[in-house]
Amino acid sequence: MMKTPYYQYDIGLLQRTLSEAKSEASLYGYHIHYAIKANANPTLLGIIAKAGFGADCVSGNEIHAALSNGFSPSGIVFAGVGKTDDEIELSIRNDIYCIHCESVQELEVIDRIAHHQKRRTRVALRINPNVNANTHKSITTGLKQNKFGLTLTEAKALLSSTSKYANVEIIGLHFHIGSQILDMDVFKHLALAVNSIQEELGTQSLPYLNVGGGLGINYQNPELHPIPDFKSYFSTFRTWLKHGNGQKVHFELGRSLVGQCGQLITCVLYTKGNEDKRFVVVDAGMNALIRPALYGAVHRIVNLKKRELPEKFVYDVVGPICETTDCLGEEVLLPETERGDLLAIQSCGAYAESMVSDYNLRDRPGNEFCNAETPETIHL
Ligand SMILES: *Cc1c(COP(=O)(O)O)cnc(C)c1O
């Protein structure tokens, strides 16, 4: 048996999710880049690269991970408010497809580094469209008060002074307004905002338009909703987004591609209680899964040994870390749970293993790959 806690990935579900996303996007000629920060597990990266996706990176090390796991440089884009000179140098040297520039100073630095390398490099301007994603405030990125992107005024000034940046080719615009978005109206508003920004800047004639990611997944009932609604997502853009004839539309999806294919398997160490509470103490803590402590995220938790029993006891599922916020689930309904039971924390494919830390000097969780449709372990 695997040492707990560990991340278990359903490779069959991942492949079905990728193929559904790809076929819905292909209907309209849309391109998808996988947002590596959602999960940089090399096995998953290899599968996603092989399925024909590009990569969206937010650090130099993510660019290295993309390149060494099969993504082609021509499918890699690079975003982030704080790119270091080394990271910019790396992306120009590897001739990745595009750098998403987030400030005026950054464009000057990119231009200078490209000049040193005697190259001309492709850049898209990331614009903060001031569109509310109506999601958790910690994962909203497209409002004026957020740190991301250029203002419309800055972008306009840059586009009218391109001659100052001789080593940079501005190929288009980039947007990303937030994550875990389930309301298609939000994407409609983004599309309409992009249309008016493009009109104002006259960028429809440029070859590139990237509208980011953010499509959410169902955390309440992952078994019923294993694959996100890619059809509505892409068709919303198809209906509302206007782009130039020669302009290719790109997306950057993270959570929706990998979120449902992973679960964190953890073993119950102890149970205890007082007048008010029953606690289940497990061997995975915020070191293994920080989303509940970081954002108050709620994951469905099931007792794998007692799946047929009614879930009629209310527990707080807590980890071993010496922090009060180290609680993986508050007031979770479970069957009567005992030491030695295995719990599955579901919907843990995205922003879970990629945020693992060694806090309290705990071991990193291992990996198991399976295919739930043919229930045996896959050895990759
Ligand atoms: C995180 C991120 C994404 C992916 O977001 P998801 O909600 O996981 O789809 C896309 N683009 C950028 C720039 C990001 O920072």
Side-chain angles (χ1 to χ4, degrees):
M1 218 186 72
M2 283 281 294
K3 178 176 177 284
T4 53
Y6 62 90
Y7 278 96
Q8 183 191 64
Y9 294 108
D10 180 345
I11 298 303
L13 177 58
L14 173 63
Q15 278 164 336
R16 291 197 302 282
T17 308
L18 295 173
S19 104
E20 174 86 14
K22 191 124 200 256
S23 67
E24 291 300 328
S26 308
L27 289 177
Y28 316 120
Y30 293 163
H31 292 266
I32 310 176
H33 302 262
Y34 167 61
I36 289 194
K37 74 177 190 290
N39 193 326
N41 184 296
T43 301
L44 303 195
L45 291 185
I47 292 168
I48 297 167
K50 209 178 245 171
F53 289 73
D56 164 41
C57 300
V58 290
S59 73
N61 286 344
E62 285 193 357
I63 295 174
H64 282 305
L67 291 171
S68 59
N69 286 289
F71 290 92
S72 134
S74 62
I76 296 177
V77 297
F78 181 27
V81 277
K83 302 177 193 77
T84 65
D85 293 19
D86 284 350
E87 290 174 319
I88 292 169
E89 201 268 326
L90 170 80
S91 43
I92 298 174
R93 182 159 32 84
N94 283 285
D95 199 23
I96 68 165
Y97 182 61
C98 180
I99 302 175
H100 293 156
C101 173
E102 306 217 9
S103 71
V104 178
Q105 277 184 5
E106 184 189 334
L107 193 65
E108 289 161 5
V109 172
I110 295 171
D111 184 57
R112 196 165 66 233
I113 294 175
H115 175 75
H116 281 311
Q117 292 195 27
K118 303 191 171 55
R119 300 214 193 202
R120 196 145 183 264
T121 193
R122 288 169 298 275
V123 164
L125 302 181
R126 178 173 183 173
I127 296 184
N128 185 331
N130 199 27
V131 169
N132 194 339
N134 288 331
T135 183
H136 192 289
K137 80 171 176 15
S138 314
I139 51 176
T140 294
T141 56
L143 286 177
K144 268 192 183 147
Q145 62 264 37
N146 305 134
K147 66 181 175 181
F148 300 97
L150 293 150
T151 66
L152 191 51
T153 319
E154 288 171 320
K156 202 178 230 171
L158 287 179
L159 286 163
S160 62
S161 59
T162 50
S163 56
K164 267 173 61 188
Y165 308 99
N167 308 285
V168 161
E169 181 193 356
I170 297 181
I171 62 170
L173 304 182
H174 171 237
F175 302 84
H176 175 68
I177 57 169
S179 199
Q180 186 51 23
I181 299 165
L182 290 164
D183 177 0
M184 293 302 135
D185 268 356
V186 168
F187 294 117
K188 171 183 168 184
H189 288 132
L190 170 63
L192 296 176
V194 170
N195 295 347
S196 72
I197 291 169
Q198 285 228 99
E199 234 159 79
E200 185 159 351
L201 298 177
T203 46
Q204 303 95 329
S205 57
L206 297 178
Y208 182 78
L209 178 62
N210 186 321
V211 293
L215 177 63
I217 63 171
N218 187 311
Y219 282 97
Q220 290 78 40
N221 204 335
E223 284 116 331
L224 262 185
H225 303 279
I227 299 182
D229 189 359
F230 294 111
K231 190 185 216 36
S232 303
Y233 176 69
F234 290 115
S235 69
T236 299
F237 285 95
R238 173 60 175 193
T239 306
W240 300 106
L241 185 70
K242 289 193 221 144
H243 57 92
N245 284 334
Q247 196 171 34
K248 287 251 158 63
V249 181
H250 296 245
F251 292 81
E252 301 164 336
L253 295 174
R255 189 190 311 269
S256 54
L257 296 178
V258 293
Q260 298 294 39
C261 80
Q263 18 187 20
L264 177 62
I265 310 295
T266 181
C267 185
V268 176
L269 296 173
Y270 306 105
T271 59
K272 63 180 187 176
N274 57 34
E275 308 74 50
D276 299 329
K277 286 262 184 202
R278 290 165 193 265
F279 293 103
V280 170
V281 184
V282 297
D283 59 6
M286 63 197 289
N287 59 303
L289 175 66
I290 202 178
R291 299 188 69 258
L294 187 63
Y295 317 118
V298 178
H299 287 258
R300 178 156 159 72
I301 303 179
V302 298
N303 187 324
L304 290 177
K305 288 201 173 160
K306 299 179 174 147
R307 292 200 89 140
E308 305 77 42
L309 298 183
E311 296 180 330
K312 59 178 186 184
F313 294 92
V314 177
Y315 295 99
D316 278 10
V317 178
V318 300
I321 302 286
C322 305
E323 293 283 348
T324 305
T325 56
D326 185 32
C327 178
L328 297 173
E330 260 179 86
E331 300 187 357
V332 180
L333 274 173
L334 289 171
E336 183 153 30
T337 294
E338 297 165 292
R339 174 174 164 84
D341 286 355
L342 285 183
L343 304 187
I345 305 175
Q346 299 183 312
S347 310
C348 272
Y351 305 108
E353 190 179 356
S354 59
M355 291 192 186
V356 163
S357 77
D358 61 1
Y359 186 37
N360 286 197
L361 292 187
R362 295 209 159 259
D363 292 334
R364 294 179 68 91
N367 289 149
E368 184 179 78
F369 301 97
C370 67
N371 187 339
E373 290 193 332
T374 54
E376 68 236 15
T377 304
I378 301 181
H379 297 283
L380 291 157

Tab-separated table of all heavy atoms in Angstrom, residues 338-361:
chain	number	residue	atom	x	y	z
A	338	GLU	N	-13.115	5.961	11.922
A	338	GLU	CA	-12.220	5.399	12.942
A	338	GLU	C	-10.759	5.503	12.511
A	338	GLU	O	-10.466	5.645	11.319
A	338	GLU	CB	-12.539	3.906	13.122
A	338	GLU	CG	-13.930	3.628	13.619
A	338	GLU	CD	-14.291	2.167	13.413
A	338	GLU	OE1	-14.443	1.757	12.239
A	338	GLU	OE2	-14.394	1.447	14.422
A	339	ARG	N	-9.899	5.372	13.478
A	339	ARG	CA	-8.463	5.292	13.211
A	339	ARG	C	-8.203	4.224	12.153
A	339	ARG	O	-8.776	3.140	12.203
A	339	ARG	CB	-7.735	4.914	14.516
A	339	ARG	CG	-6.244	4.650	14.333
A	339	ARG	CD	-5.558	4.430	15.688
A	339	ARG	NE	-4.239	3.817	15.539
A	339	ARG	CZ	-3.129	4.491	15.278
A	339	ARG	NH1	-3.154	5.812	15.162
A	339	ARG	NH2	-1.976	3.858	15.154
A	340	GLY	N	-7.351	4.565	11.159
A	340	GLY	CA	-7.027	3.603	10.107
A	340	GLY	C	-7.886	3.747	8.856
A	340	GLY	O	-7.532	3.223	7.798
A	341	ASP	N	-9.012	4.476	8.938
A	341	ASP	CA	-9.820	4.691	7.723
A	341	ASP	C	-9.047	5.577	6.735
A	341	ASP	O	-8.222	6.402	7.144
A	341	ASP	CB	-11.142	5.404	8.064
A	341	ASP	CG	-12.138	4.474	8.756
A	341	ASP	OD1	-11.834	3.262	8.887
A	341	ASP	OD2	-13.199	4.960	9.173
A	342	LEU	N	-9.349	5.399	5.460
A	342	LEU	CA	-8.749	6.261	4.438
A	342	LEU	C	-9.792	7.271	3.963
A	342	LEU	O	-10.907	6.885	3.614
A	342	LEU	CB	-8.293	5.440	3.226
A	342	LEU	CG	-7.028	4.607	3.372
A	342	LEU	CD1	-6.710	3.919	2.040
A	342	LEU	CD2	-5.835	5.450	3.835
A	343	LEU	N	-9.420	8.538	3.962
A	343	LEU	CA	-10.317	9.567	3.443
A	343	LEU	C	-9.775	10.064	2.101
A	343	LEU	O	-8.552	10.153	1.918
A	343	LEU	CB	-10.415	10.757	4.397
A	343	LEU	CG	-10.850	10.503	5.843
A	343	LEU	CD1	-11.047	11.846	6.565
A	343	LEU	CD2	-12.118	9.667	5.920
A	344	ALA	N	-10.704	10.361	1.184
A	344	ALA	CA	-10.315	10.987	-0.086
A	344	ALA	C	-10.813	12.419	-0.072
A	344	ALA	O	-12.008	12.664	0.104
A	344	ALA	CB	-10.918	10.236	-1.267
A	345	ILE	N	-9.896	13.352	-0.233
A	345	ILE	CA	-10.277	14.757	-0.380
A	345	ILE	C	-10.339	14.987	-1.881
A	345	ILE	O	-9.322	14.876	-2.579
A	345	ILE	CB	-9.267	15.675	0.323
A	345	ILE	CG1	-9.161	15.224	1.792
A	345	ILE	CG2	-9.691	17.131	0.201
A	345	ILE	CD1	-8.132	15.938	2.594
A	346	GLN	N	-11.558	15.254	-2.370
A	346	GLN	CA	-11.764	15.228	-3.816
A	346	GLN	C	-11.473	16.581	-4.461
A	346	GLN	O	-11.252	17.578	-3.775
A	346	GLN	CB	-13.196	14.763	-4.101
A	346	GLN	CG	-13.419	13.355	-3.559
A	346	GLN	CD	-14.803	12.812	-3.882
A	346	GLN	OE1	-15.798	13.474	-3.687
A	346	GLN	NE2	-14.846	11.588	-4.385
A	347	SER	N	-11.490	16.611	-5.790
A	347	SER	CA	-11.225	17.819	-6.588
A	347	SER	C	-9.875	18.432	-6.216
A	347	SER	O	-9.754	19.644	-6.044
A	347	SER	CB	-12.334	18.869	-6.387
A	347	SER	OG	-13.596	18.298	-6.563
A	348	CYS	N	-8.873	17.599	-6.099
A	348	CYS	CA	-7.540	18.060	-5.688
A	348	CYS	C	-6.510	17.965	-6.806
A	348	CYS	O	-5.324	17.772	-6.544
A	348	CYS	CB	-7.062	17.256	-4.483
A	348	CYS	SG	-7.606	17.981	-2.936
A	349	GLY	N	-6.960	18.126	-8.060
A	349	GLY	CA	-5.996	18.085	-9.151
A	349	GLY	C	-5.352	19.439	-9.423
A	349	GLY	O	-4.303	19.527	-10.050
A	350	ALA	N	-5.994	20.536	-8.962
A	350	ALA	CA	-5.481	21.873	-9.281
A	350	ALA	C	-5.182	22.661	-8.020
A	350	ALA	O	-5.961	22.625	-7.062
A	350	ALA	CB	-6.503	22.647	-10.129
A	351	TYR	N	-4.083	23.395	-8.029
A	351	TYR	CA	-3.678	24.248	-6.903
A	351	TYR	C	-3.623	23.450	-5.612
A	351	TYR	O	-3.950	23.948	-4.532
A	351	TYR	CB	-4.617	25.469	-6.794
A	351	TYR	CG	-4.675	26.235	-8.095
A	351	TYR	CD1	-5.807	26.215	-8.908
A	351	TYR	CD2	-3.556	26.926	-8.542
A	351	TYR	CE1	-5.827	26.877	-10.126
A	351	TYR	CE2	-3.569	27.591	-9.755
A	351	TYR	CZ	-4.703	27.565	-10.537
A	351	TYR	OH	-4.709	28.211	-11.751
A	352	ALA	N	-3.235	22.213	-5.705
A	352	ALA	CA	-3.155	21.352	-4.530
A	352	ALA	C	-1.714	20.841	-4.430
A	352	ALA	O	-0.914	21.389	-3.680
A	352	ALA	CB	-4.181	20.223	-4.636
A	353	GLU	N	-1.361	19.846	-5.277
A	353	GLU	CA	0.029	19.377	-5.221
A	353	GLU	C	1.009	20.499	-5.577
A	353	GLU	O	2.126	20.545	-5.040
A	353	GLU	CB	0.240	18.177	-6.158
A	353	GLU	CG	1.602	17.548	-5.923
A	353	GLU	CD	1.926	16.327	-6.767
A	353	GLU	OE1	1.070	15.850	-7.533
A	353	GLU	OE2	3.061	15.843	-6.640
A	354	SER	N	0.601	21.429	-6.439
A	354	SER	CA	1.534	22.497	-6.831
A	354	SER	C	1.793	23.477	-5.696
A	354	SER	O	2.721	24.277	-5.760
A	354	SER	CB	1.029	23.245	-8.073
A	354	SER	OG	-0.236	23.824	-7.838
A	355	MET	N	0.986	23.434	-4.638
A	355	MET	CA	1.204	24.333	-3.498
A	355	MET	C	1.745	23.587	-2.282
A	355	MET	O	1.747	24.143	-1.170
A	355	MET	CB	-0.105	25.026	-3.125
A	355	MET	CG	-0.603	26.018	-4.145
A	355	MET	SD	-1.942	27.002	-3.425
A	355	MET	CE	-2.467	27.957	-4.834
A	356	VAL	N	2.195	22.361	-2.453
A	356	VAL	CA	2.724	21.589	-1.332
A	356	VAL	C	3.959	22.292	-0.746
A	356	VAL	O	4.772	22.846	-1.481
A	356	VAL	CB	3.087	20.159	-1.799
A	356	VAL	CG1	4.002	19.462	-0.801
A	356	VAL	CG2	1.820	19.341	-2.037
A	357	SER	N	4.063	22.278	0.576
A	357	SER	CA	5.275	22.816	1.212
A	357	SER	C	5.817	21.777	2.192
A	357	SER	O	5.164	20.770	2.452
A	357	SER	CB	4.956	24.108	1.968
A	357	SER	OG	4.317	23.805	3.196
A	358	ASP	N	7.010	22.059	2.709
A	358	ASP	CA	7.545	21.117	3.698
A	358	ASP	C	7.452	21.700	5.111
A	358	ASP	O	8.210	21.328	6.002
A	358	ASP	CB	8.971	20.676	3.341
A	358	ASP	CG	9.949	21.837	3.296
A	358	ASP	OD1	9.544	22.994	3.560
A	358	ASP	OD2	11.126	21.593	3.000
A	359	TYR	N	6.503	22.584	5.299
A	359	TYR	CA	6.282	23.181	6.625
A	359	TYR	C	6.201	22.096	7.699
A	359	TYR	O	5.589	21.059	7.488
A	359	TYR	CB	4.999	24.010	6.595
A	359	TYR	CG	4.741	24.798	7.872
A	359	TYR	CD1	5.787	25.379	8.578
A	359	TYR	CD2	3.452	24.968	8.342
A	359	TYR	CE1	5.548	26.106	9.733
A	359	TYR	CE2	3.195	25.696	9.496
A	359	TYR	CZ	4.254	26.257	10.195
A	359	TYR	OH	4.007	26.967	11.340
A	360	ASN	N	6.800	22.368	8.832
A	360	ASN	CA	6.962	21.396	9.931
A	360	ASN	C	7.896	20.259	9.499
A	360	ASN	O	7.914	19.193	10.100
A	360	ASN	CB	5.629	20.814	10.420
A	360	ASN	CG	4.786	21.773	11.264
A	360	ASN	OD1	3.875	21.336	11.964
A	360	ASN	ND2	5.062	23.053	11.238
A	361	LEU	N	8.621	20.480	8.411
A	361	LEU	CA	9.514	19.479	7.814
A	361	LEU	C	8.808	18.164	7.507
A	361	LEU	O	9.350	17.087	7.702
A	361	LEU	CB	10.754	19.242	8.682
A	361	LEU	CG	11.720	20.415	8.748
A	361	LEU	CD1	13.001	20.017	9.491
A	361	LEU	CD2	12.095	20.913	7.352
